[in-house]
Amino acid sequence: MRRDSRLSRMLHVLIHMDRHYKRATSETISKMLGTNAVVVRRTMAGLRDFGYVRSEQGHGGGWELARGLDQITLLDIYEAIGKPPLFAIGPSVDQPECLVEQAVDAKLGDALKEAEALLLERFRTVTIADIAADFDRRMPEGQCNIHGNIHAEQSASS
Amino acid sequence: MRRDSRLSRMLHVLIHMDRHYKRATSETISKMLGTNAVVVRRTMAGLRDFGYVRSEQGHGGGWELARGLDQITLLDIYEAIGKPPLFAIGPSVDQPECLVEQAVDAKLGDALKEAEALLLERFRTVTIADIAADFDRRMPEGQCNIHGNIHAEQSASS
DNA sequence: AAGACACGTAACCTATCTTGTTACAGATCG
DNA sequence: CGATCTGTAACAAGATAGGTTACGTGTCTT
C-alpha cells in the first residue's frame, strides 16, 4: 500500500452519483473506481452514517446522495471516512522521556500542526460542488467518456 | 509500521552529539534512540553523504558532527534522509483517465501542495540550534538526565 | 412463497514501507 | 594478530490500506 486514497475516491464517486446515477450499486461503483464492491461498501458506510448518502438493500437497491454536493465539504468526507492520519512523518514515540527529544518533537509538532490547520481549513471551505465546477471548466459538455461503458450498462439494465 | 520517525530521530541524536559526545559509536547512539546500531548506520549514512556528519571506521571510530548545529536546518536533514513522503493521503492512481477524477485530484493536490510548502518553509527556516535553544529554555542546566547512563558508560570507556 | 438482487460484515490475504535483526566483509588502532 | 567499528546485504516483524471470499439479511419481482 502506498497512500490512503479513500478521500479522493469518495469525492470521485459522489460527483458521478450526482451527475450520472440516480442510484448506483456497489458493483457499479466498484467498476468505476477500479476496485471491489466490498471495498466500496466498507468505505461508503462512513458516509452513510454521517448522512451524506443513503443505502437501500434488496432488489433495486443501491446508493444515492442524501444531500446536494454544495452541502458537502471535503472536510465532511474526511471526517466521515474516519479522519485517517494526514502525515506520514512524526515522532518515534508518543511521550518521550528525554527532554531533548521532547524539544525536537515539540518543534516538529508545531510545524506539522500549522500545516494540518492549513490543510483542514482548505478542506472546510471547499465543497464537492466546487470540484464539479472545476470539472465543467475542463469539459464543458458535462461528459466523462471514461466511464461511458458503465453508464451504458446502467442505462441498459434500468 | 506507523510513521516515519527518521527526521525526529536524527535531530534528537545530532543535538546529543553536539552536547555530550565528541565522537559516538552507532552502538551508543542506538541505545539513545532505543533501536539498533544497523538502523543508526543506515539512517546516518544519508547525513554523512550530505556532509553533516563524519564517520570513522575501525578501532576508536564512530560518528562526529561535521558542522555547527546553527548551520543545519530541518530541511537539510529531511533531504539528507531521502525526502520521504510527507503525507499519508493522496490519489488512488497517478494519472487517472477519468476527467472527474482528475478534477478531484487537482483540487486535493492544490491543498496538499499548499500545506507541503508551508511545512517545508518551516523546515527551511528552523535550524537544529533553534531546537537546542528551546531545550535550554526547558532545562536551563543543560543536562539531559535520561541518557545519563549512556553518558556515564561513554565517559568510563574513553 | 420462491428466487434474484443488493447491502452488511467477518475473515483472511496481499502489497508496501519503516524498523528490527543477523551475518559478514572491510578498515583501523594497539 | 586481535579487538573495535563502520558498511551492507538479506530477511523478518509490525502496521495499514486495499483486495477477495463467504455468508447473512433485507427487499422486490414473479
Side-chain angles (χ1 to χ4, degrees), chain A residues 43-55:
Chain A
T43 311
M44 302 259 303
L47 277 63
R48 180 193 56 222
D49 294 344
F50 276 69
Y52 304 125
V53 296
R54 278 186 295 267
S55 65

Side-chain angles (χ1 to χ4, degrees), chain A residues 1-26:
Chain A
M1 163 214 36
R2 256 180 57 214
R3 290 189 290 187
D4 188 334
S5 62
R6 283 175 291 182
L7 177 57
S8 167
R9 278 180 156 178
M10 288 301 98
L11 299 176
H12 178 190
V13 71
L14 289 177
I15 294 175
H16 278 303
M17 287 174 69
D18 182 55
R19 303 242 157 170
H20 309 299
Y21 307 99
K22 54 211 163 301
R23 186 170 288 182
T25 67
S26 303

Side-chain angles (χ1 to χ4, degrees), chain B residues 59-107:
Chain B
H59 193 119
W63 300 86
E64 61 184 10
L65 285 171
R67 66 171 76 175
L69 295 190
D70 57 339
Q71 299 301 310
I72 311 177
T73 67
L74 305 202
L75 184 60
D76 290 331
I77 302 303
Y78 171 68
E79 291 175 341
I81 60 176
K83 295 186 192 180
L86 293 173
F87 295 104
I89 66 174
S92 64
V93 294
D94 279 335
Q95 295 231 316
E97 293 183 74
C98 173
L99 293 176
V100 171
E101 195 173 354
Q102 285 181 22
V104 168
D105 291 346
K107 200 71 155 187

Side-chain angles (χ1 to χ4, degrees), chain B:
Chain B
M1 164 214 37
R2 256 180 53 216
R3 290 189 289 187
D4 188 334
S5 62
R6 283 176 289 182
L7 177 56
S8 168
R9 278 179 158 176
M10 288 301 99
L11 298 175
H12 180 190
V13 70
L14 289 176
I15 294 175
H16 278 302
M17 286 174 69
D18 182 56
R19 303 242 156 170
H20 308 297
Y21 306 99
K22 55 211 163 301
R23 186 170 286 185
T25 67
S26 303
E27 188 64 30
T28 301
I29 294 170
S30 73
K31 285 175 186 164
M32 199 160 63
L33 297 180
T35 179
N36 187 289
V38 176
V39 175
V40 170
R41 285 196 280 269
R42 186 190 294 159
T43 312
M44 303 259 305
L47 277 64
R48 179 194 57 223
D49 295 343
F50 277 69
Y52 304 126
V53 297
R54 278 185 294 266
S55 63
E56 298 289 343
Q57 294 188 130
H59 193 119
W63 300 86
E64 61 184 10
L65 285 171
R67 66 171 76 175
L69 295 190
D70 57 339
Q71 299 301 310
I72 311 177
T73 67
L74 305 202
L75 184 60
D76 290 331
I77 302 303
Y78 171 68
E79 291 175 341
I81 60 176
K83 295 186 192 180
L86 293 173
F87 295 104
I89 66 174
S92 64
V93 294
D94 279 335
Q95 295 231 316
E97 293 183 74
C98 173
L99 293 176
V100 171
E101 195 173 354
Q102 285 181 22
V104 168
D105 291 346
K107 200 71 155 187
L108 226 38
D110 286 346
L112 288 171
K113 273 197 271 292
E114 277 190 76
E116 176 174 330
L118 175 60
L119 191 55
L120 292 182
E121 175 61 17
R122 290 291 175 277
F123 284 180
R124 192 182 67 77
T125 54
V126 175
T127 68
I128 307 182
D130 292 330
I131 299 177
D134 284 352
F135 166 73
D136 287 333
R137 276 187 284 276
R138 289 161 176 253
M139 162 96 16
E141 306 81 32
Q143 288 294 333
C144 174
N145 55 342
I146 302 303
H147 299 316
N149 50 339
I150 300 172
H151 302 166
E153 288 168 17
Q154 181 74 1
S155 308
S157 63
S158 62

